[in-house]
Amino acid sequence: MKKINGFNNKNSILVILLSIVLIFLVFGCGMKSEKTCINQCPESGLKRCFNNGYQTCSNYDSDSCLEWSSVNNCPQGLFCQNGQCVQIELRSASILEVPIPKEFYCFLQENRIKPECSRYYKEECNIYKTQCLDILACKTYYNPVCGGDGLFYPSSCWAEKFGTSVATYGYCNSLTQFMRDMWLTKKFDGKSFVVPSPNIEFTYSGSGLEGWKNGVFLRSTLWKNLTDHLIMDFNIKTTIGEEMSTSTSHVTTLVPVTVNRLKALLVFVMFDEAYPENILLDWTRTYTPLMNDYIRKKQKVSNPIQYDLIPVVISPPQGVEKPSISHTYFSNEEIQKIYDVAIQKISPKDFKIFIVSPVIIKGFGGYFSIWNNMQFIESPLTPPATYLTTDKKTGLDALAAFHDMFGTISHEILHAVGLPGDHVPMGYGTVYLDILGQNVDKLTGKEKEDVTHCDFLGTSTDYYAVELPSNLKIRVSQEPEGLIKEESPSGNCLSGLHNNERLKDYDNDGEYEIMYKNNLIGIELQRTLGWVDVDGDNVAEIEDKNAYGGWKEIGDDTKLIEGIWRETVSQTSSKFEPLEEVNIGNCKFEKIRLEDGREGLVPLKCAEFNSDVVNLYKNVKYNWELIQKEYGTVLLPRLN
């Protein structure tokens, strides 16, 4: 065998093979090591705050993974925010009391038997003293006052019942600050809101509608634009939502709530032949302008939303069942059949609202929904008997039923422009702008002497006097049987019509008009819908470029804290007990104890947690984010 430099060919092959194995082991393992290294940060170039400095994410060593740089300290006078050294205004917070009386839960009827609540109720009996009920000692009227004790009360009457004087009419500064702080406290999506001039509404018990929130709560609405708004409730004692906590919802309307003229298809489905077709078409044309005029009065904007109602009369399509106790709602298939038949009688006109009015003698119902990306309203027309021209009382009852149907339409369209399904705070307007609320002093909320219904109709700016159809006209002194006459200096009245509708010689011309009302809209609902000024600049909030005093949304500006991902911190819901103030470095904290016994530090002034610094309120049930620091557990308040 031939030798080469002292090695034979066999040995050379072995050396080569061993070299290949060695190279594979060295470099192969090295490559495997690179694949198993772990990124210490998520994205190259990302910066995070660390104490009062920042770190930058990049690859600073020989492997292929990302890691944080060393800390670049911010110069004196600057603070780290969003990974940058900037000049910021450090927030400062305190531990405060909720500025409402502790016994507001007494407004719930179920609590009237509690000893501490009895003073807020009185007994009211019928004229025969055969039936007595405990009712609230003051009316459930809303004209807020600030008491001499610095607490909020819904009326002057209630301030006195709770044993304090009235310092000022309007909100206490402490209540306005409380609602600002509720908006400013971060939600779990990391967002919070600066709202310098929040609107604040109140309900004693809710609407009473089954399935919706009822109870005692404060409500604040924030219109972000013409279609989006937020509703935040502070739940004092409610059927839905934890006691002394907040709940926030985001609502988007199908169309902008102003600068619009919307076409609405109104379909009368004649389950009972109760009206001639021409009467329904004529009356629709009479009452549509009244609904639009009322909206113009209440929506204090340059271009109020308006409606064009296009009426169509049809027979019930095959397969559409007559509404009844066992068939309260139309199915989607039934709605489609009604729509298809109606469209055959009138060309499509880009309708945004579809209204179905089942014509049924002695019927019932009415609701709002969404169908095929349109606002859908069912507003039944339910006369007590068939319309007649030969009997004026019967004809007027049929007209009164038409009033009721149109009033339902004027109510349901409010849901499409922002009225919550729980109807809060609609009730103040429907009661205290109507005859039922005329025994209440509008300033104090105290009871006063009633005015007569007829006198009230002569002064109300929320009612319309509508000329009767020529075949139903009634002259003064020629009143038909079955109607009750009431004399008044402002014009005589006739009562006794269907649904308690009334006639009045409104203009003293010797002929009666029928008095019509839309869904009555009080100032509380106007504020909630953004239709009026809230912040004092005389511009309605839905078209105010600096709405609510210049509100702004703040996103989560601290994705990471000390390398701990917010998405992985633990959360709990609890009230807190303040223990003591603690200073650590340049930060001020309040040491608190949660209901489960855990303790931690809440930042009251601290650059690192600046976006989380907000006034905290005793007895409010917060959610908490827990973050472990080298000096202890930091608790950051959150609200739903």
Coordinates of all heavy atoms in Angstrom, one line a residue, residues 234-316:
F234 N -73.0 54.7 37.1 CA -72.5 54.4 38.5 C -73.6 53.7 39.2 O -74.6 54.4 39.6 CB -71.9 55.6 39.2 CG -71.4 55.3 40.6 CD1 -70.3 54.5 40.7 CD2 -72.1 55.6 41.7 CE1 -69.8 54.2 42.0 CE2 -71.6 55.3 43.0 CZ -70.5 54.6 43.1
N235 N -73.5 52.4 39.4 CA -74.6 51.6 40.0 C -74.5 51.7 41.5 O -73.7 51.2 42.2 CB -74.4 50.2 39.6 CG -74.3 50.0 38.1 OD1 -75.2 50.5 37.4 ND2 -73.3 49.3 37.6
I236 N -75.5 52.4 42.1 CA -75.6 52.6 43.5 C -76.2 51.3 44.1 O -75.7 50.7 45.0 CB -76.4 53.9 43.9 CG1 -75.6 55.1 43.3 CG2 -76.5 54.0 45.4 CD1 -76.5 56.4 43.4
K237 N -77.4 51.0 43.6 CA -78.0 49.7 44.0 C -78.9 49.3 42.9 O -80.0 49.9 42.6 CB -78.9 49.9 45.3 CG -79.5 48.7 45.8 CD -78.5 47.6 46.3 CE -79.3 46.5 47.0 NZ -78.3 45.4 47.4
T238 N -78.5 48.3 42.1 CA -79.3 48.0 40.9 C -79.5 46.5 40.7 O -78.8 45.7 41.4 CB -78.5 48.5 39.6 OG1 -77.2 48.0 39.6 CG2 -78.4 50.0 39.6
T239 N -80.4 46.1 39.8 CA -80.6 44.7 39.5 C -79.5 44.1 38.6 O -79.4 42.9 38.6 CB -82.0 44.5 38.9 OG1 -82.0 45.3 37.7 CG2 -83.1 45.0 39.8
I240 N -78.9 44.9 37.9 CA -77.8 44.5 37.0 C -76.6 45.3 37.3 O -76.6 46.5 37.2 CB -78.2 44.6 35.5 CG1 -79.4 43.7 35.2 CG2 -77.0 44.2 34.6 CD1 -79.9 43.9 33.8
G241 N -75.4 44.7 37.6 CA -74.2 45.4 37.9 C -74.0 45.4 39.4 O -74.9 45.5 40.2
E242 N -72.7 45.3 39.8 CA -72.4 45.3 41.2 C -72.7 46.6 41.9 O -72.5 47.7 41.3 CB -70.9 44.9 41.3 CG -70.5 43.5 41.0 CD -69.1 43.2 41.4 OE1 -68.1 43.7 40.7 OE2 -68.9 42.5 42.3
E243 N -73.1 46.5 43.1 CA -73.3 47.7 43.9 C -72.1 48.5 44.0 O -71.0 48.0 44.2 CB -73.8 47.2 45.3 CG -74.1 48.3 46.3 CD -74.6 47.8 47.6 OE1 -75.0 46.6 47.7 OE2 -74.6 48.6 48.6
M244 N -72.3 49.9 43.9 CA -71.2 50.8 44.0 C -70.1 50.5 43.1 O -68.9 50.4 43.4 CB -70.7 50.9 45.5 CG -71.7 51.3 46.5 SD -72.4 53.0 46.2 CE -71.0 54.0 46.9
S245 N -70.4 50.3 41.8 CA -69.5 50.0 40.8 C -70.0 50.7 39.5 O -71.1 51.1 39.4 CB -69.3 48.5 40.5 OG -70.5 48.0 40.0
T246 N -69.1 50.7 38.4 CA -69.5 51.3 37.2 C -69.7 50.2 36.1 O -69.2 49.1 36.2 CB -68.5 52.3 36.6 OG1 -67.3 51.5 36.3 CG2 -68.2 53.4 37.6
S247 N -70.5 50.5 35.1 CA -70.6 49.7 33.9 C -70.7 50.6 32.7 O -71.4 51.6 32.7 CB -71.9 48.8 34.0 OG -73.0 49.6 34.3
T248 N -69.9 50.3 31.7 CA -69.8 51.2 30.5 C -70.2 50.4 29.3 O -69.8 49.2 29.1 CB -68.4 51.7 30.4 OG1 -68.0 52.3 31.6 CG2 -68.3 52.7 29.2
S249 N -70.9 51.0 28.4 CA -71.3 50.4 27.1 C -71.0 51.3 26.0 O -71.1 52.6 26.1 CB -72.8 49.9 27.1 OG -73.6 51.0 27.4
H250 N -70.7 50.8 24.8 CA -70.5 51.5 23.6 C -71.6 51.3 22.6 O -72.0 50.2 22.3 CB -69.1 51.1 23.0 CG -68.8 51.8 21.7 ND1 -68.1 51.2 20.7 CD2 -69.2 53.0 21.2 CE1 -68.0 52.1 19.6 NE2 -68.6 53.2 20.0
V251 N -72.2 52.4 22.2 CA -73.4 52.3 21.3 C -73.1 53.0 20.0 O -72.6 54.1 20.0 CB -74.7 52.9 21.9 CG1 -75.9 52.7 21.0 CG2 -74.9 52.2 23.3
T252 N -73.5 52.3 18.9 CA -73.3 52.9 17.5 C -74.7 52.9 16.9 O -75.4 51.9 16.8 CB -72.3 52.1 16.7 OG1 -71.1 52.1 17.3 CG2 -72.2 52.8 15.3
T253 N -75.1 54.1 16.4 CA -76.4 54.2 15.7 C -76.2 53.8 14.2 O -75.1 53.9 13.7 CB -77.0 55.6 15.8 OG1 -76.1 56.6 15.2 CG2 -77.2 56.0 17.3
L254 N -77.3 53.4 13.6 CA -77.3 53.1 12.2 C -77.0 54.2 11.3 O -76.4 54.1 10.2 CB -78.6 52.4 11.8 CG -78.8 51.0 12.3 CD1 -80.2 50.5 11.8 CD2 -77.7 50.0 11.8
V255 N -77.5 55.4 11.7 CA -77.3 56.6 10.9 C -76.9 57.7 11.8 O -77.1 57.7 13.0 CB -78.6 57.0 10.1 CG1 -79.0 55.9 9.1 CG2 -79.7 57.2 11.1
P256 N -76.3 58.8 11.2 CA -76.0 60.0 12.0 C -77.2 60.5 12.6 O -78.3 60.5 12.0 CB -75.3 60.9 11.0 CG -74.8 60.1 9.9 CD -75.7 58.9 9.8
V257 N -77.1 61.1 13.9 CA -78.3 61.5 14.6 C -78.7 62.9 14.3 O -79.6 63.5 15.0 CB -78.1 61.3 16.1 CG1 -77.9 59.8 16.4 CG2 -76.9 62.1 16.6
T258 N -78.1 63.6 13.4 CA -78.5 64.9 12.9 C -78.0 65.0 11.5 O -77.5 64.1 10.9 CB -77.9 66.0 13.8 OG1 -78.4 67.3 13.4 CG2 -76.3 66.0 13.7
V259 N -78.3 66.2 10.9 CA -78.0 66.5 9.5 C -78.5 65.4 8.6 O -77.8 64.9 7.6 CB -76.5 66.6 9.3 CG1 -76.2 67.4 8.0 CG2 -75.9 67.4 10.4
N260 N -79.7 64.9 8.8 CA -80.3 63.8 8.0 C -81.8 64.0 7.8 O -82.5 64.5 8.7 CB -80.1 62.5 8.7 CG -79.0 61.7 8.1 OD1 -79.0 61.4 6.9 ND2 -78.1 61.2 8.9
R261 N -82.3 63.7 6.6 CA -83.7 63.5 6.4 C -83.9 62.1 5.9 O -83.5 61.7 4.8 CB -84.2 64.5 5.3 CG -85.7 64.6 5.3 CD -86.2 65.8 4.5 NE -87.6 66.0 4.8 CZ -88.2 66.8 5.7 NH1 -87.4 67.5 6.4 NH2 -89.5 66.8 5.8
L262 N -84.5 61.3 6.8 CA -84.6 59.9 6.6 C -86.0 59.5 6.0 O -87.0 60.0 6.5 CB -84.4 59.2 7.9 CG -83.0 59.4 8.6 CD1 -83.0 58.7 9.9 CD2 -81.9 59.1 7.7
K263 N -85.9 58.6 5.1 CA -87.2 58.1 4.5 C -87.6 56.9 5.3 O -86.8 56.0 5.6 CB -87.0 57.7 3.0 CG -86.9 58.9 2.1 CD -86.8 58.5 0.7 CE -86.9 59.7 -0.3 NZ -85.8 60.6 -0.1
A264 N -88.9 56.9 5.7 CA -89.5 55.8 6.5 C -90.7 55.2 5.7 O -91.6 56.0 5.3 CB -89.9 56.3 7.9
L265 N -90.7 53.9 5.6 CA -91.8 53.2 5.0 C -92.8 52.8 6.1 O -92.4 52.1 7.0 CB -91.4 52.0 4.2 CG -92.4 51.1 3.6 CD1 -93.3 51.9 2.6 CD2 -91.8 49.9 2.9
L266 N -94.0 53.4 6.1 CA -95.0 53.1 7.0 C -96.1 52.2 6.4 O -96.8 52.7 5.5 CB -95.6 54.4 7.6 CG -96.9 54.2 8.5 CD1 -96.6 53.3 9.7 CD2 -97.4 55.6 8.9
V267 N -96.2 51.0 6.8 CA -97.1 50.0 6.2 C -98.3 49.7 7.2 O -98.0 49.1 8.2 CB -96.4 48.7 5.8 CG1 -97.4 47.8 5.1 CG2 -95.2 49.0 4.8
F268 N -99.5 50.1 6.8 CA -100.7 49.7 7.6 C -101.1 48.3 7.1 O -101.5 48.2 5.9 CB -101.8 50.7 7.4 CG -101.5 52.1 7.9 CD1 -101.0 53.1 7.1 CD2 -101.6 52.3 9.3 CE1 -100.7 54.4 7.6 CE2 -101.3 53.6 9.8 CZ -100.9 54.6 9.0
V269 N -101.1 47.3 7.9 CA -101.5 46.0 7.6 C -102.9 45.8 8.1 O -103.1 45.7 9.3 CB -100.6 44.9 8.1 CG1 -101.0 43.5 7.6 CG2 -99.1 45.2 7.7
M270 N -103.9 45.7 7.3 CA -105.3 45.7 7.6 C -105.8 44.3 8.1 O -106.6 43.6 7.4 CB -106.2 46.3 6.5 CG -105.7 47.6 6.0 SD -105.9 48.9 7.2 CE -107.7 49.1 7.2
F271 N -105.4 43.9 9.3 CA -105.9 42.7 9.8 C -107.4 42.8 10.1 O -108.2 41.9 10.0 CB -105.2 42.3 11.1 CG -103.8 41.8 10.9 CD1 -102.7 42.7 11.0 CD2 -103.5 40.5 10.5 CE1 -101.4 42.2 10.8 CE2 -102.2 40.1 10.2 CZ -101.2 40.9 10.4
D272 N -107.8 44.0 10.5 CA -109.3 44.4 10.6 C -109.5 45.6 9.7 O -108.7 46.6 9.7 CB -109.6 44.7 12.1 CG -109.6 43.5 13.0 OD1 -109.9 42.4 12.5 OD2 -109.3 43.7 14.2
E273 N -110.6 45.6 9.0 CA -110.9 46.7 8.1 C -111.5 47.8 8.9 O -112.7 48.1 8.9 CB -111.9 46.2 7.0 CG -111.3 45.2 6.0 CD -110.2 45.8 5.2 OE1 -110.2 47.0 4.9 OE2 -109.2 45.0 4.8
A274 N -110.7 48.5 9.7 CA -111.2 49.5 10.6 C -111.2 50.9 10.1 O -111.8 51.8 10.7 CB -110.3 49.4 11.9
Y275 N -110.4 51.2 9.0 CA -110.3 52.5 8.5 C -110.3 52.5 7.0 O -109.8 51.6 6.3 CB -109.0 53.2 8.9 CG -108.7 53.4 10.3 CD1 -108.2 52.5 11.2 CD2 -109.0 54.7 10.9 CE1 -108.0 52.7 12.5 CE2 -108.7 55.0 12.2 CZ -108.3 54.0 13.0 OH -108.0 54.2 14.4
P276 N -110.9 53.5 6.3 CA -110.7 53.7 4.9 C -109.3 54.0 4.6 O -108.6 54.7 5.3 CB -111.6 54.8 4.5 CG -112.6 55.0 5.7 CD -111.8 54.5 6.9
E277 N -108.8 53.5 3.4 CA -107.4 53.7 3.1 C -107.0 55.2 3.0 O -106.0 55.7 3.5 CB -107.1 53.1 1.7 CG -105.6 53.3 1.3 CD -105.3 52.4 0.1 OE1 -106.0 51.5 -0.3 OE2 -104.2 52.8 -0.6
N278 N -107.9 56.0 2.4 CA -107.6 57.5 2.2 C -107.5 58.2 3.6 O -106.7 59.1 3.7 CB -108.7 58.1 1.4 CG -110.0 58.2 2.1 OD1 -110.6 57.2 2.4 ND2 -110.6 59.4 2.2
I279 N -108.2 57.7 4.6 CA -108.1 58.4 5.9 C -106.7 58.1 6.5 O -106.1 59.1 7.0 CB -109.2 57.8 6.8 CG1 -110.6 58.3 6.4 CG2 -108.9 58.2 8.3 CD1 -110.8 59.8 6.6
L280 N -106.2 56.9 6.4 CA -104.9 56.6 6.9 C -103.8 57.4 6.2 O -102.9 57.9 6.8 CB -104.6 55.1 6.8 CG -105.5 54.2 7.7 CD1 -105.2 52.7 7.4 CD2 -105.4 54.5 9.2
L281 N -103.9 57.5 4.9 CA -102.9 58.3 4.1 C -103.0 59.8 4.5 O -102.0 60.4 4.7 CB -103.1 58.1 2.6 CG -103.1 56.6 2.1 CD1 -103.3 56.6 0.6 CD2 -101.8 56.0 2.5
D282 N -104.2 60.3 4.6 CA -104.4 61.8 4.9 C -103.9 62.1 6.3 O -103.2 63.1 6.5 CB -105.8 62.2 4.8 CG -106.3 62.2 3.3 OD1 -105.5 62.2 2.4 OD2 -107.5 62.3 3.1
W283 N -104.2 61.2 7.3 CA -103.8 61.5 8.7 C -102.3 61.4 8.8 O -101.7 62.1 9.6 CB -104.5 60.6 9.6 CG -106.0 60.9 9.8 CD1 -106.7 61.9 9.2 CD2 -107.0 60.2 10.6 NE1 -108.0 61.9 9.5 CE2 -108.2 60.9 10.4 CE3 -106.9 59.1 11.4 CZ2 -109.4 60.4 11.0 CZ3 -108.1 58.6 12.0 CH2 -109.3 59.3 11.8
T284 N -101.7 60.5 8.1 CA -100.2 60.4 8.1 C -99.6 61.7 7.7 O -98.6 62.2 8.3 CB -99.7 59.2 7.3 OG1 -100.3 58.0 7.8 CG2 -98.2 59.1 7.3
R285 N -100.1 62.2 6.6 CA -99.6 63.5 6.1 C -99.8 64.7 7.0 O -99.0 65.6 7.1 CB -100.2 63.8 4.7 CG -99.6 62.9 3.6 CD -100.1 63.4 2.2 NE -101.5 63.0 2.0 CZ -101.8 61.8 1.4 NH1 -100.9 61.0 1.0 NH2 -103.1 61.5 1.1
T286 N -100.8 64.6 7.8 CA -101.1 65.6 8.8 C -100.2 65.6 10.0 O -99.7 66.6 10.5 CB -102.6 65.5 9.3 OG1 -103.5 65.7 8.2 CG2 -102.9 66.5 10.4
Y287 N -99.9 64.4 10.5 CA -99.1 64.2 11.8 C -97.6 64.1 11.6 O -96.9 64.4 12.5 CB -99.7 63.0 12.6 CG -101.0 63.4 13.2 CD1 -102.2 63.1 12.5 CD2 -101.1 64.0 14.4 CE1 -103.4 63.5 13.1 CE2 -102.3 64.3 15.0 CZ -103.5 64.1 14.3 OH -104.7 64.4 14.9
T288 N -97.2 63.8 10.4 CA -95.7 63.7 10.2 C -95.0 65.1 10.4 O -94.0 65.1 11.1 CB -95.4 63.2 8.8 OG1 -95.9 61.9 8.6 CG2 -93.9 63.2 8.6
P289 N -95.6 66.2 9.9 CA -94.9 67.5 10.2 C -94.9 67.8 11.7 O -94.0 68.5 12.1 CB -95.8 68.5 9.4 CG -96.4 67.7 8.3 CD -96.7 66.3 9.0
L290 N -95.9 67.4 12.4 CA -95.9 67.7 13.9 C -94.8 66.9 14.6 O -94.2 67.5 15.5 CB -97.3 67.3 14.5 CG -98.5 68.0 13.8 CD1 -99.8 67.5 14.6 CD2 -98.4 69.5 13.8
M291 N -94.5 65.7 14.2 CA -93.4 65.0 14.8 C -92.1 65.6 14.5 O -91.2 65.8 15.3 CB -93.4 63.5 14.3 CG -92.3 62.6 14.9 SD -92.4 60.9 14.4 CE -91.9 61.0 12.7
N292 N -91.9 66.0 13.2 CA -90.7 66.7 12.8 C -90.5 68.1 13.5 O -89.4 68.4 13.9 CB -90.7 66.9 11.3 CG -90.4 65.6 10.6 OD1 -89.6 64.8 11.1 ND2 -90.9 65.5 9.4
D293 N -91.6 68.8 13.7 CA -91.5 70.1 14.4 C -91.1 69.9 15.8 O -90.3 70.7 16.3 CB -92.9 70.8 14.3 CG -92.9 72.2 14.9 OD1 -92.3 73.1 14.3 OD2 -93.4 72.3 16.0
Y294 N -91.6 68.9 16.5 CA -91.2 68.6 17.9 C -89.8 68.3 18.0 O -89.1 68.8 18.9 CB -92.1 67.5 18.5 CG -92.0 67.4 20.0 CD1 -92.5 68.4 20.8 CD2 -91.4 66.3 20.6 CE1 -92.4 68.4 22.2 CE2 -91.4 66.2 22.0 CZ -91.9 67.2 22.8 OH -91.8 67.2 24.1
I295 N -89.2 67.5 17.1 CA -87.8 67.2 17.1 C -87.0 68.5 16.9 O -86.0 68.7 17.5 CB -87.5 66.2 16.0 CG1 -88.1 64.8 16.4 CG2 -86.0 66.0 15.8 CD1 -88.0 63.8 15.3
R296 N -87.5 69.4 16.0 CA -86.8 70.7 15.8 C -86.7 71.5 17.0 O -85.7 72.2 17.3 CB -87.4 71.4 14.6 CG -87.0 71.0 13.2 CD -87.4 72.1 12.2 NE -88.8 72.2 12.1 CZ -89.6 71.6 11.4 NH1 -89.1 70.6 10.5 NH2 -90.9 71.8 11.4
K297 N -87.8 71.4 17.8 CA -87.9 72.2 19.1 C -86.9 71.6 20.1 O -86.2 72.4 20.8 CB -89.3 72.1 19.7 CG -90.3 72.9 19.0 CD -91.6 72.8 19.8 CE -92.8 73.6 19.2 NZ -94.0 73.4 19.9
K298 N -86.7 70.3 20.1 CA -85.9 69.7 21.2 C -84.5 69.5 20.8 O -83.6 69.4 21.7 CB -86.6 68.3 21.5 CG -88.0 68.5 22.1 CD -88.0 69.2 23.4 CE -89.3 69.3 24.0 NZ -89.3 69.8 25.4
Q299 N -84.2 69.3 19.5 CA -82.8 69.0 19.1 C -82.2 70.4 18.7 O -82.3 70.9 17.6 CB -82.7 68.0 17.9 CG -81.4 67.5 17.7 CD -81.3 66.4 16.5 OE1 -81.9 66.7 15.5 NE2 -80.7 65.3 16.8
K300 N -81.5 71.0 19.6 CA -81.0 72.3 19.5 C -79.7 72.3 18.6 O -78.6 72.7 19.1 CB -80.7 72.9 20.8 CG -81.9 72.9 21.8 CD -83.0 73.8 21.3 CE -84.1 73.9 22.4 NZ -85.2 74.7 21.9
V301 N -79.8 72.0 17.4 CA -78.7 71.9 16.5 C -79.1 72.7 15.2 O -80.2 73.0 15.0 CB -78.3 70.5 16.1 CG1 -77.9 69.7 17.3 CG2 -79.5 69.7 15.4
S302 N -78.1 72.9 14.4 CA -78.3 73.7 13.2 C -79.1 73.0 12.1 O -79.8 73.6 11.3 CB -77.0 74.2 12.6 OG -76.1 73.0 12.3
N303 N -79.1 71.7 12.1 CA -79.8 70.9 11.1 C -80.3 69.6 11.7 O -79.8 68.6 11.6 CB -78.8 70.5 9.9 CG -79.5 70.1 8.7 OD1 -80.8 70.0 8.7 ND2 -78.8 69.8 7.6
P304 N -81.5 69.7 12.4 CA -82.1 68.6 13.1 C -82.4 67.4 12.2 O -82.7 67.6 11.0 CB -83.3 69.2 13.8 CG -83.2 70.6 13.7 CD -82.3 70.9 12.5
I305 N -82.4 66.2 12.7 CA -82.8 65.0 12.0 C -84.3 65.1 11.7 O -85.1 65.6 12.6 CB -82.5 63.8 12.8 CG1 -82.6 62.5 11.9 CG2 -83.3 63.6 14.0 CD1 -82.0 61.3 12.5
Q306 N -84.8 64.8 10.5 CA -86.2 64.8 10.2 C -86.5 63.5 9.4 O -85.7 62.8 9.0 CB -86.4 66.0 9.3 CG -86.1 67.4 9.9 CD -87.2 67.9 10.9 OE1 -88.1 68.5 10.5 NE2 -87.1 67.5 12.1
Y307 N -87.9 63.3 9.3 CA -88.4 62.1 8.8 C -89.4 62.3 7.7 O -90.3 63.1 7.9 CB -89.0 61.2 9.9 CG -88.0 60.9 11.0 CD1 -87.8 61.7 12.1 CD2 -87.2 59.7 10.9 CE1 -86.8 61.4 13.1 CE2 -86.3 59.4 11.9 CZ -86.1 60.2 13.0 OH -85.1 59.9 13.9
D308 N -89.3 61.6 6.6 CA -90.3 61.5 5.6 C -91.0 60.2 5.7 O -90.5 59.1 5.3 CB -89.7 61.7 4.2 CG -89.2 63.1 4.0 OD1 -89.8 64.0 4.6 OD2 -88.2 63.2 3.3
L309 N -92.3 60.2 6.2 CA -93.0 58.9 6.3 C -93.9 58.7 5.1 O -94.7 59.5 4.7 CB -94.0 59.0 7.6 CG -93.4 58.4 8.9 CD1 -92.2 59.2 9.3 CD2 -94.4 58.4 10.0
I310 N -93.6 57.6 4.4 CA -94.3 57.2 3.2 C -95.3 56.1 3.5 O -94.9 55.0 3.8 CB -93.3 56.7 2.1 CG1 -92.1 57.6 2.0 CG2 -94.1 56.5 0.8 CD1 -92.4 59.0 1.6
P311 N -96.6 56.4 3.6 CA -97.6 55.4 4.0 C -98.1 54.5 2.9 O -98.3 55.0 1.7 CB -98.8 56.3 4.5 CG -98.7 57.6 3.7 CD -97.2 57.8 3.4
V312 N -98.3 53.3 3.2 CA -98.9 52.3 2.3 C -99.9 51.4 3.1 O -99.6 51.1 4.2 CB -97.8 51.4 1.7 CG1 -98.4 50.3 0.8 CG2 -96.7 52.2 1.0
V313 N -101.0 51.1 2.5 CA -102.0 50.3 3.1 C -102.1 49.0 2.3 O -102.3 49.0 1.1 CB -103.4 51.0 3.1 CG1 -104.4 50.1 3.8 CG2 -103.3 52.3 3.8
I314 N -102.0 47.8 3.1 CA -102.0 46.5 2.4 C -102.9 45.6 3.2 O -103.1 45.8 4.4 CB -100.6 45.9 2.2 CG1 -100.0 45.6 3.6 CG2 -99.7 46.8 1.4 CD1 -98.7 44.7 3.5
S315 N -103.3 44.5 2.6 CA -104.0 43.4 3.3 C -102.9 42.5 3.8 O -101.7 42.5 3.3 CB -104.9 42.6 2.3 OG -105.9 43.4 1.9
P316 N -103.1 41.7 4.9 CA -102.1 40.8 5.4 C -101.6 39.8 4.4 O -102.4 39.1 3.8 CB -102.8 40.1 6.6 CG -104.0 40.9 6.9 CD -104.4 41.6 5.6

